[in-house]
Amino acid sequence: MTLEISLTRDPAHIRHGSNIGQPLTRTDGVLKVTGKARYAADNHPPGMLYAVIASSCIARGRVTSLDVAAAKRHPGVIDVMTPAHKPELAEDPDAKGNPFAFRMELLQSDEVRYANQAIAVVIAETLEAATEGAALLSPRYQVEIARVGLDAGEAYAPPVVGIGNPAEVRHGDIDAGMAAASKLTDATYETPAQYHNAMEPHAIVAVWDGDRLFIDTPSQGMGFAQMRVAGLFGISPANIHINSPFLGGGFGSKGLISGPQVLGIMAAKLTGRPVKLVLRRGQMYGPVGHRPPTRQRIRIGTDDAGALTAINHEARVTTSSFDDFYEPAADASHTLYASPAIRTAHEAVRVDTGTPLFMRAPGEATGSIVLESAIDEAAFACGIDPLEFRLKNYAEVEPTTGKPFSSKALRQCYARAAERFGWAGRPLQPKQMRDENGFLVGWGIGTATFPAIMFQGNARAVIRADGKGVMETGAHDMGQGAWTALAQISADSLGLDFDQLTFRSGSSDLPDAGIAGGSGHTATVGAAIHNAGAAAIAKLAELATTDERSPLFGAGNAGVVARAGRLHRRDDDARSESYAEILARAGVAEVEGRGTGAADAAAQSQYAMHAHGAVFAEVKVDPELGQIRATRMVGAFAAGRIINPLMVQSQLYGGMIWGLSFALHEEAVMDKRSGRILNANLAEYHVPVNADVPPMEVITVDEHDPHVNPLGIKGVGEIGITGSAGAVANAVFHATGIRVRNFPIKIDELVMGLAR
């Protein structure tokens, strides 16, 4: 594929991409499967100590005593960090200087805000000594009654939801739309709290050298982390070096540096020695964010022909008692269906938990399963096939803004996935299909959508005297293969074969690549790489086309093509010269280009930007026991330009599995008496295992969206959840005739319904 690069000066040039679009395997795959990939906790600097957090076992109150002396008597314990004995900070950790500065618990008082909050840190020569020392602290508490659940207090209207979204949005006349409806669906759904617990827990190895700080820690945003740590410790961000080459998953929880990581830095400051701190599995449930529970009431009006007349989507969410993050669940209803009247609104309740934060598809996951279930209810009320109903009502433009987006690709997603799944001939009425064993069979559909987000990132490109290239950017790879995809973009941006490129990433001393979140990292950093490569090639082209000795001399008006380490005249491909020859004759060791990737404000003001998809699911339900088994899933997704089909397929599978988990498995169970999570472990916090995941198929629909960014990239990390959860839930209804409105769907609700 040929990319046209517009320059502000001649010579113009184009690059022929041969790496983008190839299903390359992971460049870091061998390191990972052989155990040679070094994650944060694998680092052991000389003289390193181990720090272990002592966590609160109450959700609200105060710590009245800690047996610090007993802990210090334990052999190997070096020190115990408490509110009374800690390094002073330069900035109040409760200060909020920007929308991403969430409050941290850094031993500033004896107050307990939630269960699993850090109340002390024991530092020792060995992990065992630190762990045993923490157990010896024997904390005592003044306990207050914990506020738990969606009815824990008086609800209020939050100032914003998500990051700066309005809490209420109105489009059209809701009352008139409801009055005009001949059919009205009015349903209330609840989704549970969910906790991300990545394969690699939050960890840090911190080393102080005077006022310089060296950190190994998993990070989805090293630039954000630098700024936050710099403020807390009163040092320059330039004095902080963060190394984060490998992440064992993040799901949003590593987008911002967390309190436990900062406690590791404080412990190193206190002792004057390197310190390692790693959270235990159970400690992940609290201080590093989660998806909050929601209660959502959705009303949908339709006319006699099955066309939407109004959607009113209201969500109640929880936030912590001490900070503000509001899951934008109802916002899912802004972008999919062409209703003349739409209202979304949020209210919030403060509870005694850690602050909920970004968790894969925040808002879209919680809102879409409700929207897709309610759309299914509306279709059934109208006596229309759920696919037909969606095709009748899906939006050609974003309903609440009127901005056009590439929604035509969604029709292709519906058609291709439906054909592959075999949707035609599906009986409208539930409980009509059984398999050879007598199990009830149900088919469901869910529409997928996710915004095409871009942040801001930077990259540096170099073409060296030997004709090879280097691309540098402080990008983040959470395991999804970002480094491989970004290296493919890098090679094409420099007109090089993949093996002629050195790609450098994962360190804060490289150009800041922004944050890896919102499914926007590849688009953001890819655009920065694209622009950096263009700038380097432009400098190289100038050297050649202005040199009378070059066969490319005078090609400024015609332009040149960069391909396989050579520049070719665009109007005469036979006239070419290698990068090495151009640099050698000019006596230049290398040429450098820098680039920035960011959203185009003008394009965003004119166009709505989303990826789309459609997911079809089959489930089988035991009519006597109510056991549910997902047996097939097919998803088709239009997500812009695909950089690496292999990686994209893997990401979409992961999203579909998480959607299945949302519908059938995942739930944090809270003890309403104590405010503690009862299943804060990976044994009782249920997620799908291999036996739970059905055969899946992913179809990628070709889509060229010229407005989202120069490369036409949209994210794929989160969109798979948004259609899949609803598809599975709707399939359960189609199998059983029972519409379960509390997720995850549990056996007991089906058993009681099937027994009637």
Side-chain angles (χ1 to χ4, degrees), residues 509-716:
D509 57 356
L510 300 173
D512 183 6
I515 192 166
S519 296
H521 200 46
T522 304
T524 301
V525 186
I529 288 168
H530 171 89
N531 292 331
I537 291 292
K539 290 182 179 179
L540 190 69
E542 183 176 16
L543 290 176
T545 59
T546 58
D547 187 341
E548 294 181 355
R549 296 168 294 175
S550 171
L552 302 174
F553 176 68
N557 290 330
V560 296
V561 175
R563 184 174 67 246
R566 300 182 71 86
L567 294 185
H568 299 253
R569 280 190 67 123
R570 184 188 292 178
D571 59 354
D572 184 358
D573 193 67
R575 295 176 64 182
S576 70
E577 194 170 22
S578 72
Y579 298 173
E581 290 169 328
I582 296 169
L583 291 171
R585 192 175 53 253
V588 175
E590 63 181 36
V591 291
E592 174 191 302
R594 291 183 179 266
T596 296
D600 183 336
Q604 288 196 323
S605 69
Q606 297 179 54
Y607 301 96
M609 299 177 181
H610 298 265
H612 292 100
V615 180
F616 294 79
E618 177 185 83
V619 302
K620 295 185 178 181
V621 180
D622 187 315
E624 296 176 345
L625 300 179
Q627 291 178 325
I628 308 165
R629 170 76 63 187
T631 48
R632 280 194 301 142
M633 294 181 75
V634 176
F637 302 91
R641 191 178 188 196
I642 303 301
I643 302 301
N644 186 311
L646 192 63
M647 307 299 175
V648 164
Q649 182 186 58
S650 177
Q651 282 287 282
L652 293 171
Y653 280 148
M656 291 168 69
I657 292 169
W658 201 321
L660 169 69
S661 181
F662 199 123
L664 300 182
H665 298 271
E666 197 164 349
E667 176 185 25
V669 180
M670 185 74 74
D671 184 340
K672 294 183 179 180
R673 299 164 300 175
S674 68
R676 297 174 65 180
I677 299 172
L678 295 173
N679 57 337
N681 54 68
L682 292 187
E684 296 167 297
Y685 183 93
H686 295 159
V687 295
V689 297
N690 286 347
D692 297 310
V693 178
M696 290 183 170
E697 184 173 351
V698 163
I699 301 165
T700 52
V701 173
D702 290 338
E703 180 186 30
H704 175 61
D705 187 335
H707 306 296
V708 286
N709 51 64
L711 292 172
I713 296 170
K714 299 180 180 181
V716 295

Side-chain angles (χ1 to χ4, degrees), residues 53 105-106 202 204 258-265 277 279 283 287-288:
I53 288 176
E105 300 72 47
L106 300 180
H202 290 60
I204 191 163
S258 67
Q261 290 161 298
V262 177
L263 288 172
I265 299 171
L277 188 153
L279 288 186
Q283 292 175 329
V288 296

Side-chain angles (χ1 to χ4, degrees), residues 344-367:
T344 62
H346 298 80
E347 61 180 14
V349 174
R350 293 198 180 278
V351 296
D352 295 312
T353 67
T355 304
L357 285 172
F358 310 101
M359 183 168 172
R360 203 174 191 187
E364 286 85 5
T366 46

Side-chain angles (χ1 to χ4, degrees), residues 720-738:
I721 303 174
T722 63
S724 303
V728 172
N730 292 332
V732 172
F733 166 75
H734 188 241
T736 63
I738 301 167

Side-chain angles (χ1 to χ4, degrees), residues 161-162 165-169 313 315 327-335 344-346 363-364 367:
V161 295
N165 299 344
E168 182 174 2
V169 174
H313 191 166
E327 179 91 350
D331 286 0
S333 289
H334 289 174
T335 61
T344 62
H346 298 80
E364 286 85 5

